[in-house]
Amino acid sequence: MSKVLMKGNEAIAQAAIAAGCDAFFGYPITPQNEICEYMSKYLAKSGGAFVQAESEIAAINMVYGAAGAGARTMTSSSSPGIALKQEGISYCAGAELPCVIVAISRGGPGLGGILPAQGDYNQATRGGGNGDYKVVVLAPNGVQEATEMMRDAFLLSEKYRNPVMVMADGVIGQMMEPVEINTDPLPKFEKPWAATGDSQSRGTRNVINSLFLNPVDLENHNIALRKKYDLIEENEVQVDLYMMDDADVALVAYGTPSRIVKSAIEEMRAEGIKVGLIRPKTLYPFPFKQINAAADKVKFMLTAELSMGQMVHDVRLAVNGKVPVYFYGRAGGMIFEPKEISDAVKSHLGGE
Amino acid sequence: MKKVKMVCAGFGGQGVLSVGQLIAMMAMNKSYLVSWMPSYGPEMRGGTANCHVVIDEHDVGSPIISDGITHLLAMNQPALKKFLPRVAQGGVIVANASMVKRDDSRPDIQWVMVDFYQIATEAGNQRTQNMAALGSLVRQLDGFSESDGFNIILEKFGDKNPEMVEVNQRAFTLAYHS
């Protein structure tokens, strides 16, 4: 198949359909509206169900229901809408329901703005819902990768019976790039736990629930979840290293900013400054080991985000005091230029 | 090929987003890496529209063009005013002569002043002004030919609107050779 020029949001929706998404529940919000639009137009044609819910909260709870019935299901929204979904995401995590949440981020807090931002790193990786739970978070840097991560997201969600979020900033949702969507059938995981209405043939009733009133049962559930997260942290980290072999300085960035940082690296390399990029593709599980190892070889790290500084705290945890970790960020829909990154690197180099 | 950092800007409805999209498609068909990023923020709601198109052989990098614009399409005066300071030295400005006044403070820039309104009228449909703009832009792009433009118009509109293909191609060609 040859490449087609597609908007990130539409490509994400198309990739979800190609990955066998059975049911989509959404509610409009800029800058992710094209996902709902595309799904409303095409999902039914491929045998799936599209429902425009009455709210974001309704949508995530419909996902809970559909996932509980064994469907491959997803929802999408943007920052304030993702905030509304947090309770439902916690319930999905508690009931161990596989589902995919696409978050096309904009500025906050509150209603914020509609332009691209990354102020939802903490919301995504720490969760806004209650309880001990984790959501796998994938962070693409472009349209092609966003479509590949949709496949990953469905696979990981079913492999671990856990919600998976694909978080991209508004740039990736809105821009068009050439894309080739993988249409190979995605394996279907057996779901013997699903509530499918055939308890008679099974001999037992399947109950989808996150309520454990007996503290012993709940602790055991918490321990089992923790073991699952340990497995995820052990096996599912994805990180891209660019020009890190001889780097004196490591820049850390994800999503669209990682591309701006790459442009800055090219400019700095041309001036003889040895800079490399560490790009986490999974925000949870976070590449702690890889960043810690890189800290042995560089003078300092600088994290660049479209926020006032969120991922930088994970980078500092990873580096564990080995070298300084600086931060450069813009927010509110303002996007830094390569030169701002170069200037920040140079100011810290000069200060030594 | 030298990296192209193009901004197409004008009023909403002047078709600047389509111009950028067609150029992105042309670049994709030549196996270049390309990104197309529209304005979708408050400025869009104010009635103006623009898109950023980056074309490169190896790496697009940032899809947002903050400076060093190599090609600017200015369909109206506010578009020129907004993006002129960000045009690279030696850059090209293709401007709609019926609405834009040339700015003599930047003699380092190659100014291509074309009256798209007149060309569209001559082509037979005033709504083809953006295809005229496409013609003038393609003329200024290294590695892209008149037939590339012709084909992309066919590819874009062929299925839906065969009669529009012809009039769009006419406007394209008139501008290309103007």
Side-chain angles (χ1 to χ4, degrees):
Chain A
M1 191 193 144
S2 62
K3 289 190 171 181
V4 288
L5 194 68
M6 276 184 102
K7 217 173 200 197
N9 283 335
E10 293 177 346
I12 283 169
Q14 171 68 52
I17 294 173
C21 177
D22 298 312
F24 175 95
F25 307 95
Y27 187 80
I29 182 171
T30 307
Q32 68 82 53
N33 282 321
E34 295 85 357
I35 299 179
C36 293
E37 283 170 21
Y38 197 93
M39 283 298 196
S40 70
K41 196 168 176 189
Y42 294 107
L43 184 56
K45 285 181 187 161
S46 60
F50 167 88
V51 179
Q52 180 176 323
E54 68 270 35
S55 71
E56 289 89 345
I57 298 170
I60 188 68
N61 284 292
M62 290 173 185
V63 164
Y64 182 99
R72 188 168 271 174
T73 183
M74 67 175 286
T75 182
S76 68
S77 192
S78 180
S79 307
I82 297 293
L84 285 167
K85 290 181 194 294
Q86 292 299 328
E87 179 197 54
I89 294 170
S90 166
Y91 275 58
C92 288
E96 295 194 80
L97 293 175
C99 59
V100 173
I101 301 116
V102 175
I104 306 294
S105 304
R106 58 188 243 183
L111 271 179
I114 60 172
L115 291 174
Q118 294 183 315
D120 299 341
Y121 180 90
N122 288 344
Q123 177 177 258
T125 60
R126 268 55 178 175
N130 61 298
D132 267 327
Y133 77 97
K134 287 286 182 186
V135 171
V136 176
V137 183
L138 310 178
N141 71 343
V143 177
Q144 179 67 42
E145 193 172 86
T147 67
E148 289 157 15
M149 283 186 171
M150 286 308 294
R151 284 175 75 83
D152 282 358
F154 282 115
L155 271 183
L156 288 169
S157 76
E158 291 177 16
K159 182 176 173 189
Y160 292 103
R161 287 186 60 188
N162 204 71
V164 176
M165 182 178 287
V166 176
M167 186 164 77
D169 50 75
V171 174
I172 292 165
Q174 290 298 319
M175 79 170 158
M176 284 179 130
E177 286 189 309
V179 60
E180 190 171 349
I181 292 169
N182 187 342
T183 52
D184 296 342
L186 202 62
K188 290 259 179 196
F189 281 73
E190 291 293 318
K191 294 175 178 173
W193 46 264
T196 51
D198 56 352
S199 58
Q200 282 197 322
S201 65
R202 260 196 317 265
T204 53
R205 292 180 67 215
N206 280 347
V207 178
I208 307 296
N209 196 6
S210 65
L211 178 69
F212 295 82
L213 286 174
N214 180 333
V216 176
D217 291 347
L218 182 52
E219 190 186 41
N220 284 337
H221 181 53
N222 289 140
I223 291 168
L225 288 178
R226 185 59 246 176
K227 281 185 179 158
K228 178 167 84 176
Y229 304 143
D230 287 343
L231 267 182
I232 292 172
E233 287 168 20
E234 187 60 36
N235 297 316
E236 306 300 346
V237 171
Q238 291 182 43
V239 60
D240 223 23
L241 303 181
Y242 174 72
M243 292 200 167
M244 281 299 296
D245 286 346
D246 64 342
D248 294 327
V249 175
L251 294 167
V252 190
Y254 69 98
T256 297
S258 70
R259 298 167 59 141
I260 300 167
V261 164
K262 243 175 148 175
S263 300
I265 287 172
E266 269 179 36
E267 290 169 16
M268 283 185 277
R269 287 262 169 185
E271 296 171 35
I273 305 171
K274 290 180 178 168
V275 195
L277 168 68
I278 301 172
R279 176 171 77 91
K281 294 166 74 175
T282 50
L283 303 182
Y284 177 83
F286 192 73
F288 286 108
K289 280 183 199 162
Q290 291 82 350
I291 291 175
N292 184 276
D296 292 331
K297 300 190 223 156
V298 297
K299 290 179 191 159
F300 65 84
M301 293 198 186
L302 186 142
T303 303
E305 300 174 55
L306 299 180
S307 76
M308 291 288 102
Q310 299 194 5
M311 180 176 72
V312 63
H313 298 297
D314 275 341
V315 176
R316 287 193 178 125
L317 281 175
V319 167
N320 201 15
K322 282 182 181 173
V323 291
V325 177
Y326 303 114
F327 173 76
Y328 187 81
R330 298 292 299 270
M334 299 301 291
I335 294 177
F336 43 68
E337 304 170 11
K339 187 170 180 303
E340 294 177 65
I341 304 299
S342 316
D343 287 349
V345 169
K346 285 174 192 167
S347 77
H348 293 301
L349 274 174
E352 278 176 20
Chain B
M1 190 191 89
K2 221 172 142 253
K3 189 175 208 133
V4 172
K5 292 161 82 175
M6 178 187 293
V7 171
C8 305
F11 292 128
Q14 280 185 310
V16 290
L17 299 186
S18 300
V19 172
Q21 237 178 68
L22 289 172
I23 284 173
M25 284 168 69
M26 286 167 60
M28 179 182 70
N29 289 350
K30 287 187 180 291
S31 299
Y32 291 128
L33 298 175
V34 60
S35 65
W36 173 92
M37 177 74 199
S39 57
Y40 71 95
E43 51 188 15
M44 194 175 90
R45 297 176 184 191
T48 70
N50 70 73
C51 63
H52 298 196
V53 179
V54 182
I55 307 170
D56 194 60
E57 278 173 87
H58 309 292
D59 190 26
V60 164
S62 173
I64 297 155
I65 302 167
S66 41
D67 55 10
I69 296 171
T70 60
H71 298 77
L72 172 65
L73 170 64
M75 289 298 278
N76 62 22
Q77 196 64 30
L80 180 71
K81 190 168 176 244
K82 181 170 181 183
F83 290 104
L84 181 61
R86 300 200 228 161
V87 177
Q89 273 215 331
V92 180
I93 294 183
V94 172
N96 186 6
S98 60
M99 297 183 84
V100 175
K101 224 174 132 254
R102 181 181 165 138
D103 186 330
D104 291 326
S105 70
R106 290 288 303 268
D108 62 297
I109 288 170
Q110 184 191 342
W111 291 81
V112 180
M113 306 293 293
V114 183
D115 191 332
F116 300 131
Y117 177 79
Q118 195 192 331
I119 285 178
T121 309
E122 207 176 313
N125 187 331
Q126 285 171 12
R127 290 179 60 202
T128 61
Q129 288 185 61
N130 63 332
M131 292 301 114
L134 181 71
S136 296
L137 269 176
V138 169
R139 181 69 183 269
Q140 300 302 326
L141 274 175
D142 289 340
F144 293 88
S145 67
E146 185 179 6
S147 62
D148 290 334
F150 246 70
N151 292 337
I152 212 69
I153 291 171
L154 184 66
E155 186 180 327
K156 174 83 177 172
F157 301 104
D159 296 345
K160 287 181 265 178
N161 219 335
E163 64 271 22
M164 275 307 283
V165 172
E166 202 189 327
V167 66
N168 277 320
Q169 286 179 337
R170 208 178 307 139
F172 174 90
T173 306
L174 284 169
Y176 188 89
H177 292 289
S178 69

